[in-house]
Amino acid sequence: MHLPRRRIDLAVFLAVLGTGVVLVRCGIEAEAVSTVAIGLSTLYAAWQRQDGAPGTPDDREASRRRE
């Protein structure tokens, strides 16, 4: 079963947010948590680009119309 991209994005967002909350509650400094969150979001963005999705918003809109 293929989940729509928005659901996957939401799941990843909630996972990173939940992890950040847990780390802060465990005593990790907020600055360190934000650094990790930025790194994870960069990795996720790079992973999302592997599917060959066009890079500009205009190109993405054009590809959606073709589907």
Side-chain angles (χ1 to χ4, degrees), residues 18 25 55 67:
R25 300 270 301 163
E67 295 175 346

Side-chain angles (χ1 to χ4, degrees), residues 4 21 25 29-30 40-42 46 48 50-51 56 58 60 66:
V21 169
R25 300 270 301 163
E29 293 181 16
L40 290 174
S41 66
T42 302
Q48 283 291 340
Q50 286 181 356
D51 65 359
T56 65
D58 293 334
R60 284 193 296 262
R66 280 186 251 134

Side-chain angles (χ1 to χ4, degrees), residues 19-20 33 35 41 49:
T19 302
V33 173
T35 301
S41 66
R49 304 280 289 163

Side-chain angles (χ1 to χ4, degrees), residues 7-8 10 15 21 24 29 32 37-38 40-41 43 45-46 52 59 64:
R7 285 189 185 175
I8 294 171
L10 177 61
V21 169
V24 169
E29 293 181 16
I38 290 169
L40 290 174
S41 66
L43 288 173
D59 293 339
R64 284 187 194 135

